[in-house]
Amino acid sequence: MAFFRLTSRDVSGIKLLFFLVVMYGLMSTLVYFVLQMKFVKPLGIDAPLDRFSAARAIEHVRVLSKEIDGRQEGRQGLKDAAQYIKTQLEIIKEQAGPNVRIEIEDTIVNGTFNMMFLGHSISFGYRNHINIIFRISSVDSKDTDPSVLVNGHFDSPVGSPGAGDCGSCVASMLEIARLAVDSGWVPHRPVIFLFNGAEELFMLGSHGFMTTGKWRDTIGAFINVEASGTGGPDSVCQSGPGSWPSRVYAQSAQYPMANSASQDIFPVIPGDTDYRIFANDYGKIPGLDVIFLFGGYFYHTSSDTVERLFPGSIQARGDNLFSLIKAFTNSSKLQNASERESLGAATNESKDERAIFFDYLSWFMIFYSRRQAMVLHSIPVAIYLLIPFLLRSENIGLCNLIATFYDFFKGMLLHAIGIILAALFPVVFAVLRLLFSGHSMNWFAHPFLAYVMFVPCSVVGLLIPRIVWRSFPLSQDDSVLKSSKEELAGEARFWGAFGFYALLTLAYLVAGLSGGFLTFSLSVFMLPAWICFSLSLKYFSLQSLRSIACYVILLIPVLTYSVYFGGFVVQFLIEKMGMIGSLPPPYGYFIPDVIVAATIGVVTGWCVGPLVPVLGHWLARSAIVQLLLQLSVISMALSSQFFPYSIDAPKRIVFQHTIRTADAGRIVESSYDLTVVDSNSLPFVFKHAPEVAKELQMGSELSIVTVNLSHPENWMAIYPISSLFSRSLKFPAKNDIILKQYRYFPHLSSYKPQLFSGRGSRKLYLELSLGSLREVWVAVLNITGPLSNWSLANNVLPAPEIVNGGPPSYMCRLSGASHDKWTFWLEASNSEALRIEVAVLEQYLLEPARKLKGLFPNWMDVIAYSSFMSTYIF
């Protein structure tokens, strides 16, 4: 076989490849250890009272997520959770010493406003949502003193115990409140803990605090505590306005987990947090958005249980938060709303708004201002432009300089081509695999599989330019420069790669982004590594592995960081692929694999790319390329033996029992609507859940040809999340048991005659009854027609939604438990009819629906609810 006919250089190249595999393997092991927070020792339940204890916090999570049955709006569990939190705070208050003042309030918030969410304009009306406030201050503090707000929500999404999101947040806050009292700490400025009861309904609790809260104008800084999973890095995902909050974090966090690139990425992720209410929409308050990012498999699922939490992450979060709170209260920049306005603090700070910062393996943090970044990030470019003059100082003729610049440019172009091919090759392999596979996302439950499949072919992509242009097309005359062609080619390749990272760093900065720290770090470390390599050539030959070692060893710190940052990005992305939405066929089937493959390709590019200019001539050999391609092909073939899902990485199913009514007591139609939120569609589900298919009376061929599609408007109760669905299916359901369980259905009616004006407009006075429903989460209205005004959102209409060129629609979500009807008025600009569609989400499931839900296998996580829908013409 050709594989065994190896030359001595092939053998040396394979040895080098093996060394690199071991090196990156060790780096990856270290990174895994750090990202899983295994280096943080969680303190036990009997830890000293002046220390934050993860075990004590987890005990709070156990009560909130296990002993209390459901913390969703509309369920008794939410009230029980509020009572538990208040009881714990009262206990803490009793333990307080005479030198601190503690105030506890539970407030009911009501309001109405407009918001853009997931690109959709929506109006909100809410009532009777619970906020609990715990304020600790010194006895001589004033009510107007600037304070620090710590916010976390205790409600949970439909169908989820909410241990991570966000029982872990509330538990951390309770433990920190206890720690503040038991440690004898007297805060220099007041600290307010806001236990917010309505975040999952689109930030209603925080809106209520910022519009009606007693202390809203005293807030000088805030920390929003969130969870997009059950642990891992507790990362700062958003920071601002200004750089002051991130600077405080950099100076005080015990386990820093933050990078400014998150602020570039977060806006494109579907979803939002209370941060936007405090920092953007209402308060313009400086603050931090701190979020658990791993364990995303369980985010908003029934698997978000206390057993899934990372104890090390809880401990690190608690230690960080307490240090942060102390730092903020001691900061001279803490100002209340009137001080910020009068001193123009926000305007002054905006000049330095997007600072650059990043942590190094949670060990320490590097922070520098945007002004400093303009200087620092320009230095590599300046070096790249000046180095030809320094290298050709003895032969500084114009022709030599131009030839040197041209060679460096060609080196940069070849390196850029390699990086592009490193991302493109995995994409090609991913598409080819899917053409012969029965399902996508094999790597979802097995993240290591993605690396095994895509890294080898990505490295091949990196090496392609070196293989194709094995003899570098030099423009310089080696006889004039008295250097060998091999030396000049190596020089051009290195400075080309250096210039690529230098220019990319500057491009990031000029574009207003904050993620250039990685490419800047690469260029900074490449420079001394090249100098060491060049000096080593005086003692070792160019073909010696010892000279290679001189280059690689100096790059190890930055390569380790590249693996850390890249591993974080890939793991977060893989976990989120299970909920990105079911994109329309045929291309939607390929999207998750293409995204993951391309991302791993880019990550491989920045992790291995800096080595290629020097190590490329060792690795760009046909035997090594064949080996890497064979590894990719074998891993692709073996991947078919791996199932995409497991109990630890469940597939998400949304199951809606849709009940269409004509009035308060008549059913028009009842159906079971099913959808998925990833690329493996419902036929895949029915194939692996035959009992469900049988219960739905599907044929043995599991064909969906005869099954009705569930139209997007059927999912109005969870609008705008429904925009993530496609190819949903609808199955008939029986009506009998519905009439036995409910006396009245949700119903919209006029409570007062229409009022006509001389201008031709008319005003409708309407009331919405929620009938005899038991556990209402939300009611959604879709108003279509000549609507010109309404009583909601302070008489301001949201931007209309227009679907497929149809008439404008106005969406409104109403939430909050009450026996009272919702009353409001609508104004129509003319006599043309207003069409109002109503969808009410009921969390209680009837017995047949519960039975159907129970038939799904345990590796499928089913979020199930009922939706009562009706249509009215006025």
Side-chain angles (χ1 to χ4, degrees), residues 144-149 210 215-222 240-241 244-245 277-279 282-287 332-349:
T144 57
D145 284 349
S147 57
V148 176
L149 175 71
M210 289 306 300
W215 288 298
R216 66 186 186 275
D217 290 330
T218 70
I219 307 301
F222 74 91
W244 171 58
I277 299 294
F278 301 125
Y282 290 90
K284 304 298 181 186
I285 304 169
S332 60
K333 291 191 174 184
L334 191 71
Q335 300 166 335
N336 60 30
S338 61
E339 290 171 339
R340 287 196 303 273
E341 185 176 352
S342 62
L343 297 175
T347 302
N348 293 336
E349 194 69 33

Side-chain angles (χ1 to χ4, degrees), residues 196-243:
N196 155 4
E199 190 272 348
E200 297 294 354
L201 289 159
F202 299 163
M203 292 79 75
L204 304 184
S206 55
H207 177 270
F209 177 83
M210 289 306 300
T211 52
T212 64
K214 174 181 176 182
W215 288 298
R216 66 186 186 275
D217 290 330
T218 70
I219 307 301
F222 74 91
I223 306 167
N224 182 54
V225 190
E226 254 293 359
S228 183
T230 54
D234 193 26
S235 291
V236 175
C237 293
Q238 300 182 90
S239 171
S243 63

Side-chain angles (χ1 to χ4, degrees), residues 489-545:
E491 189 179 75
R493 286 191 174 99
F494 171 81
W495 289 110
F498 179 89
F500 172 80
Y501 296 119
L503 290 175
L504 193 58
T505 300
L506 191 60
Y508 264 111
L509 201 64
V510 172
L513 302 174
S514 304
F517 56 83
L518 178 60
T519 49
F520 173 68
S521 301
L522 290 174
S523 58
V524 166
F525 276 83
M526 285 175 71
L527 193 58
W530 174 255
I531 294 171
C532 184
F533 171 73
S534 300
L535 292 175
S536 72
L537 295 180
K538 296 180 180 179
Y539 306 98
F540 314 112
S541 71
L542 190 62
Q543 305 301 325
S544 172
L545 289 176

Side-chain angles (χ1 to χ4, degrees), residues 138-209:
S138 63
V139 291
D140 55 353
S141 67
K142 302 175 183 177
D143 283 350
T144 57
D145 284 349
S147 57
V148 176
L149 175 71
V150 184
N151 174 73
H153 68 91
F154 62 89
D155 65 321
S156 60
V158 172
S160 175
D165 182 24
C166 209
S168 65
C169 313
V170 171
S172 298
M173 291 166 60
L174 286 173
E175 175 63 3
I176 289 171
R178 179 210 60 78
L179 175 59
V181 169
D182 287 347
S183 65
W185 176 57
V186 180
H188 185 63
R189 305 284 178 83
V191 179
I192 298 172
F193 293 86
L194 171 59
F195 298 87
N196 155 4
E199 190 272 348
E200 297 294 354
L201 289 159
F202 299 163
M203 292 79 75
L204 304 184
S206 55
H207 177 270
F209 177 83

Side-chain angles (χ1 to χ4, degrees), residues 426 429 443 446-459 570 574 596 600 604 627-639 642:
F429 273 74
W443 35 260
H446 319 280
F448 72 90
L449 195 60
Y451 292 99
V452 175
M453 287 194 296
F454 300 134
V455 169
C457 57
S458 179
V459 173
V570 171
I574 285 176
V596 169
I600 289 180
T604 303
L627 174 63
L628 293 172
L629 290 176
Q630 287 169 0
L631 284 174
S632 291
V633 171
I634 291 171
S635 60
M636 296 280 181
L638 291 178
S639 68
F642 291 85

